[in-house]
Amino acid sequence: MQHDKVLILDFGSQYTQLIARRVRELNIYSEIHPFNKIPTNIEEYKAVVLSGSPFSVRSEEALHPDLSNIRGKKPMLAVCYGAQYLAHFSGGEVAPSNTREYGRANLSFIKSNEPFLAHIHTGSQVWMSHSDTIKKLPDNAVLIASTHDVENAAYRINGEETYAIQFHPEVYHSTDGKQLLENFLVDIAGLKQDWTPDSFVEETVEAIKEKVGNDKVVLGLSGGVDSTVAAVLLNKAIGKNLYCIFVNNGLLRKNEFESVLKQYEGMGLNVKGVDASNRFLEALKGIEDPEKKRKAIGNSFIEVFDDEAHKLEEVKWLAQGTIYPDVIESVSATGGPSATIKSHHNVGGLPDFMKLKIVEPLRAIFKDEVRRVGSTLGIDPELLGRHPFPGPGLGIRILGDITAEKVRILQEVDAIFINGLKSWGLYDKVWQAGAMLLPVNSVGVMGDERTYEKCVALRAVESTDGMTADWVNLPYEFLQKTSNDIINKVKGVNRVVYDISSKPPATIEWE
């Protein structure tokens, strides 16, 4: 099936990936490409969106896209930086705002009979995030919306299907953002809404068959949603030619190695468990830097897979459950100008000594999309509802160097926290939760004795795809009981704190 496609040009905004998600929520396929690497097959895209940017159109470092094959030829929506770019370089004026325009605002004026703003009314909340503002519209522009503080909040260009807005419809704080994108993509650009989980499964299975053929594939299972969905997709495509390996890296949750292996019984997957915990802990000995820990864990995974692959005859592919946020945070939006936050152990290819090629069936989709695909595949809802767990496991939740004793402590703490969330009926209200072992000792009193032991931080966030996240306001009574249980039951811990920072500016994991 050929789907209508939306091209999103990335200027480095932290929200660019959210544009892709919002478009996909409309069952329309979207792709992100750097502003300076516009695809040569531009004719295959039915609409184009220009993202925001941390740059200013007034600076010498302003990012200049080549829009000669787009503007006036395809429906185009310019968001924030895109709107200012069109204004600044097409006869308008962009100047610094008297005050930084950041946060919630409300539309105070909407031009009547504008299809772009259909079903959107004055008072609708939008999200602003810019320090420049459009003082004068570009040539042939018509003002179509304002807020109390931003007169030129939205405009269109006469004679073109070109629309521009200074706010961010992709951010959930823009309450009618999805409606606005639907107005543009469906009603104005005429795109079909046929990119669904069912179509993704059908097309991905066919693509795997074509790519892999009769070759054998080895897949590293983690017990999480991503690798499980990847395994079921691959199994649907190549059946007995898929060999799954579940590695105990010594950094899993308490008793997870045994429980995960049992979980896969009856799913029709060929799974082998490999206990390599000593190998990983040895590779991590004395390493404190987070990036070096990630690299050590990633390298050890590769070595284990290489060893196991050599035990199988003629395996040619390594499958991974890599998803889009992994790629974004590691490679910075497919090579765009945004900043790399951290590396991921399952992103970025394999060393030369390993002869396996990579297949990543979920690389282009977000976590919520993975769950919808898993539901289409008939995977147990309880498994699909599992919280995300980082590939490096507890290795990035133990700040500083890693020892077997520190792993034991954190496993016990994590088990009390997660089991508590489940018993209190809070687990499904949280997107991700875990505990961090801090490189800090604090003074405490147990009985009549002075203690000087470890501090742990609990973290629980709500999110949709992990790109942004807010901390969860867990009940005080739950936190009180959890803290008491940890301190009383886990030897080596005498203090518990709760992390109330959001992403951004923090990340979900501490490392």
Side-chain angles (χ1 to χ4, degrees):
M1 183 184 295
Q2 292 294 317
H3 299 284
D4 291 341
K5 298 194 295 187
V6 177
L7 171 63
I8 301 167
L9 293 183
D10 179 23
F11 293 88
S13 169
Q14 63 175 317
Y15 300 138
T16 301
Q17 296 77 33
L18 297 183
I19 300 176
R21 279 204 60 261
R22 284 293 223 178
V23 172
R24 293 179 185 193
E25 286 176 3
L26 295 169
N27 294 329
I28 297 171
Y29 182 70
S30 60
E31 290 181 357
I32 298 173
H33 289 268
F35 77 97
N36 55 354
K37 294 183 181 178
I38 298 175
T40 55
N41 59 335
I42 189 66
E43 69 280 355
E44 295 183 10
Y45 298 88
K46 289 199 66 173
V48 178
V49 179
L50 309 183
S51 83
S53 176
F55 295 91
S56 168
V57 298
R58 300 178 299 102
S59 72
E60 293 181 2
E61 293 81 25
L63 310 178
H64 294 277
D66 179 4
L67 302 178
S68 57
N69 290 324
I70 298 174
R71 185 170 172 184
K73 300 176 182 179
K74 292 183 178 293
M76 184 172 72
L77 173 60
V79 176
C80 197
Y81 179 90
Q84 294 173 2
Y85 181 87
L86 292 183
H88 187 66
F89 293 101
S90 300
E93 180 188 354
V94 175
S97 302
N98 293 330
T99 58
R100 178 170 167 77
E101 293 164 350
Y102 183 86
R104 295 171 177 84
N106 298 94
L107 297 178
S108 58
F109 161 73
I110 293 177
K111 191 175 185 294
S112 59
N113 300 318
E114 288 289 338
F116 180 67
L117 296 170
H119 313 297
I120 298 173
H121 307 284
T122 54
S124 176
Q125 180 177 285
V126 296
W127 184 262
M128 297 287 185
S129 181
H130 54 91
S131 55
D132 289 343
T133 195
I134 299 171
K135 294 293 188 182
K136 178 187 173 186
L137 294 177
D139 298 335
N140 298 318
V142 176
L143 178 67
I144 58 175
S146 305
T147 68
H148 290 289
D149 296 323
V150 180
E151 179 183 3
N152 297 314
Y155 64 87
R156 62 173 170 81
I157 305 295
N158 276 327
E160 303 177 16
E161 289 183 323
T162 298
Y163 294 82
I165 51 180
Q166 284 210 80
F167 54 89
H168 289 268
E170 69 274 22
V171 175
Y172 283 95
H173 299 92
S174 291
T175 52
D176 291 320
K178 187 176 179 180
Q179 179 66 60
L180 186 145
L181 289 171
E182 184 173 359
N183 292 344
F184 172 69
L185 294 171
V186 179
D187 298 336
I188 294 172
L191 277 78
K192 298 189 295 290
Q193 296 173 277
D194 59 5
W195 195 72
T196 63
D198 286 330
S199 68
F200 177 84
V201 169
E202 179 183 344
E203 292 159 30
T204 302
V205 166
E206 289 305 312
I208 292 169
K209 288 179 179 178
E210 183 176 344
K211 184 174 186 176
V212 173
N214 291 320
D215 294 345
K216 293 180 180 178
V217 178
V218 61
L219 166 68
L221 282 172
S222 69
V225 176
D226 304 335
S227 65
T228 300
V229 173
V232 175
L233 266 174
L234 285 156
N235 190 56
K236 190 176 178 69
I238 62 174
K240 61 181 178 12
N241 281 347
L242 174 65
Y243 296 83
C244 299
I245 298 171
F246 178 50
V247 176
N248 181 7
N249 61 5
L251 304 167
L252 302 175
R253 286 182 155 137
K254 184 179 179 181
N255 299 326
E256 189 166 26
F257 184 57
E258 296 78 12
S259 63
V260 167
L261 285 175
K262 186 175 182 180
Q263 174 183 309
Y264 285 123
E265 290 179 6
M267 288 185 68
L269 299 174
N270 178 18
V271 183
K272 177 183 179 181
V274 178
D275 188 352
S277 52
N278 291 335
R279 184 170 181 171
F280 280 82
L281 290 173
E282 184 64 29
L284 286 164
K285 186 177 293 184
I287 299 177
E288 297 185 6
D289 179 81
E291 279 296 291
K292 290 180 180 178
K293 284 196 286 187
R294 286 178 178 271
K295 295 297 184 186
I297 293 167
N299 290 337
S300 297
F301 263 112
I302 289 171
E303 291 171 1
V304 170
F305 282 131
D306 193 48
D307 290 346
E308 293 301 320
H310 276 98
K311 296 176 184 177
L312 303 169
E313 294 183 1
E314 298 180 351
V315 170
K316 295 183 179 179
W317 297 84
L318 172 66
Q320 297 186 135
T322 307
I323 64 173
Y324 203 18
D326 297 336
V327 178
I328 292 163
E329 291 196 340
S330 292
V331 193
S332 127
T334 59
S338 52
T340 298
I341 306 300
K342 57 189 176 183
S343 63
H344 289 256
H345 79 277
N346 58 340
V347 178
L350 297 171
D352 292 338
F353 73 80
M354 205 168 178
K355 305 305 180 184
L356 300 180
K357 296 175 283 187
I358 292 181
V359 56
E360 296 171 317
L362 309 179
R363 186 182 178 90
I365 63 176
F366 292 93
K367 176 71 76 173
D368 56 319
E369 294 176 309
V370 173
R371 288 196 169 102
R372 289 199 292 271
V373 168
S375 179
T376 294
L377 290 166
I379 297 174
D380 187 341
E382 185 174 341
L383 192 156
L384 293 177
R386 285 192 67 178
H387 290 178
F389 188 65
L394 301 181
I396 57 169
R397 292 183 176 178
I398 298 172
L399 278 65
D401 69 316
I402 297 172
T403 65
E405 175 62 8
K406 289 180 180 180
V407 172
R408 179 201 68 79
I409 290 174
L410 192 55
Q411 284 178 331
E412 296 291 339
V413 170
D414 178 85
I416 291 171
F417 185 31
I418 298 300
N419 291 336
L421 287 170
K422 291 178 178 178
S423 65
W424 279 62
L426 297 169
Y427 186 84
D428 291 336
K429 298 177 183 179
V430 172
W431 191 77
Q432 182 171 334
M436 320 295 160
L437 182 64
L438 307 185
V440 173
N441 281 29
S442 68
V443 173
V445 178
M446 290 187 179
D448 293 325
E449 295 183 3
R450 175 188 184 274
T451 63
Y452 191 58
E453 296 179 333
K454 294 292 183 186
C455 173
V456 295
L458 306 183
R459 179 89 159 124
V461 299
E462 53 188 4
S463 180
T464 303
D465 53 33
M467 297 305 301
T468 61
D470 290 322
W471 62 279
V472 178
N473 190 4
L474 295 175
Y476 286 137
E477 295 81 5
F478 168 78
L479 291 173
Q480 182 183 44
K481 181 175 185 346
T482 301
S483 175
N484 287 341
D485 285 348
I486 290 170
I487 291 171
N488 288 329
K489 297 177 181 179
V490 182
K491 183 179 179 181
V493 176
N494 69 355
R495 191 176 298 270
V496 178
V497 299
Y498 186 53
D499 181 351
I500 60 169
S501 50
S502 296
K503 175 185 180 180
T507 54
I508 295 175
E509 299 295 338
W510 280 40
E511 290 192 339

